[in-house]
Amino acid sequence: MTRKPLIAGNWKMHKTIKEAEELATGIRSQLQGFEKVDIVLCPPFVALHNVYKVIKNSTIKLGAQNTFWEKEGAFTGEVSVPMLKDCGCEYVIIGHSERRKYFAETDNMVNCKIKTALAEGLKPILCVGETLQEREANKTIDVVSRQLQGGLESIDESGISKIVIAYEPVWAIGTGRTATPNQAEEVQKFIRDWIKNTYSSAIASGIRILYGGSVKPENINELMKEDDIDGALVGGASLSVASFVNIVKNSIT
Ligand code: PGA
């Protein structure tokens, strides 16, 4: 099955509302009508709606970087899935390694968030990946399978087919040290096989598995040549119009 590439920009905690609007405007003007790749912009919560106003009526989609699993209530500081949808979101990143590391998110919390997102019609981008220490201890596959198992607990076939998975080795995030295409492919293939064994071949061949970690205009093309890399989750290089646009354009193999 041919899977349409997806490139998502994770702006993390960068950009004021004005800066976010400018970045989105630049990206929109250069990628208007570029339909070979699905493009998702994930600004900080406070800029979501303004970015939505810039990209609506284009093919570019909006995503959030996180969500809470309850729909409303006394949860000071949290943002719910219905609120994200109200801002124009179609996607939500769940379980990013920075959330797991700095905010103690567990696989169980990730699972709760995925369930709420799916129930309310938001598409989760589930992040998995090992730390350097885990890789060096040959635990990569154990860690990734535990994250898949825990994050996708009791998600059925109709749920999984709406999910995008992002393999992001923690040691490659923000470090300039990209995984080699072979290193990434090894884990991406493991993930697809895991989906095949847990669900079905048809689901495994349709699901998009992104790579994330120091993706740049210079390395995206080599990564995309691998069979199981269907796009990228881009952090630092998504913060300027030129580098993000070039990543999108160079992702076509
Ligand atoms: P990076 O971040 O591209 O800056 O390495 C990727 C990510 O954390 O999603």
Side-chain angles (χ1 to χ4, degrees):
M1 178 191 271
T2 45
R3 296 176 290 269
K4 188 172 179 188
L6 189 159
I7 304 285
N10 172 10
W11 297 0
K12 306 194 180 181
M13 200 174 70
H14 293 282
K15 308 289 179 190
T16 61
I17 292 174
K18 185 166 172 285
E19 289 164 350
E21 286 172 341
E22 283 166 6
L23 178 54
T25 304
I27 291 169
R28 180 185 169 149
S29 73
Q30 295 208 31
L31 292 174
Q32 183 93 289
F34 190 85
E35 292 192 355
K36 292 184 190 148
V37 177
D38 284 337
I39 300 161
V40 182
L41 303 183
C42 305
F45 287 139
V46 290
L48 281 172
H49 193 55
N50 293 64
V51 169
Y52 177 67
K53 287 192 242 168
V54 174
I55 60 179
K56 72 172 186 218
N57 305 322
S58 81
T59 49
I60 303 171
K61 308 291 187 203
L62 190 69
Q65 299 173 17
N66 181 30
T67 187
F68 191 54
W69 58 81
E70 294 291 346
K71 284 193 264 175
E72 63 176 3
F75 302 103
T76 302
E78 292 298 314
V79 176
S80 72
V81 170
M83 291 169 185
L84 297 179
K85 283 178 54 193
D86 195 37
C87 288
C89 287
E90 228 176 87
Y91 290 84
V92 56
I93 298 171
I94 296 181
H96 189 279
S97 63
E98 287 149 16
R99 304 278 335 153
R100 296 177 190 260
K101 178 174 172 195
Y102 301 121
F103 305 98
E105 277 193 16
T106 62
D107 290 325
N108 182 250
M109 290 157 82
V110 167
N111 183 243
C112 291
K113 293 179 179 198
I114 289 183
K115 284 180 179 156
T116 305
L118 288 173
E120 300 293 311
L122 265 193
K123 297 178 192 138
I125 302 176
L126 165 63
C127 302
V128 297
E130 80 289 359
T131 63
L132 184 58
Q133 220 185 3
E134 289 161 342
R135 171 162 285 258
E136 285 174 347
N138 283 323
K139 296 227 170 83
T140 299
I141 294 302
D142 291 353
V143 169
V144 171
S145 49
R146 189 204 71 220
Q147 291 170 334
L148 290 171
Q149 188 85 47
L152 296 173
E153 181 71 45
S154 64
I155 303 297
D156 64 11
E157 296 209 348
S158 103
I160 189 73
S161 53
K162 297 180 187 84
I163 293 177
V164 175
I165 296 178
Y167 168 56
E168 299 207 302
V170 179
W171 47 272
I173 296 177
T175 58
R177 188 178 160 191
T178 323
T180 63
N182 280 344
Q183 279 175 321
E185 172 61 16
E186 198 188 349
V187 184
Q188 315 258 148
K189 181 172 186 325
F190 166 78
I191 294 171
R192 198 174 307 283
D193 286 344
W194 189 95
I195 298 289
K196 183 173 157 191
N197 296 331
T198 309
Y199 295 93
S200 68
S201 306
I203 294 208
S205 68
I207 196 166
R208 287 187 289 193
I209 307 176
L210 314 182
Y211 165 78
S214 299
V215 171
K216 306 179 202 69
E218 299 76 37
N219 59 26
I220 183 70
N221 196 264
E222 286 304 305
L223 289 159
M224 293 296 290
K225 284 184 185 148
E226 298 293 337
D227 287 350
D228 295 296
I229 301 183
D230 306 315
L233 182 54
V234 186
S238 72
L239 296 173
S240 91
V241 175
S243 61
F244 187 71
V245 166
N246 285 327
I247 288 173
V248 171
K249 292 190 171 158
N250 295 351
S251 70
I252 304 292
T253 52

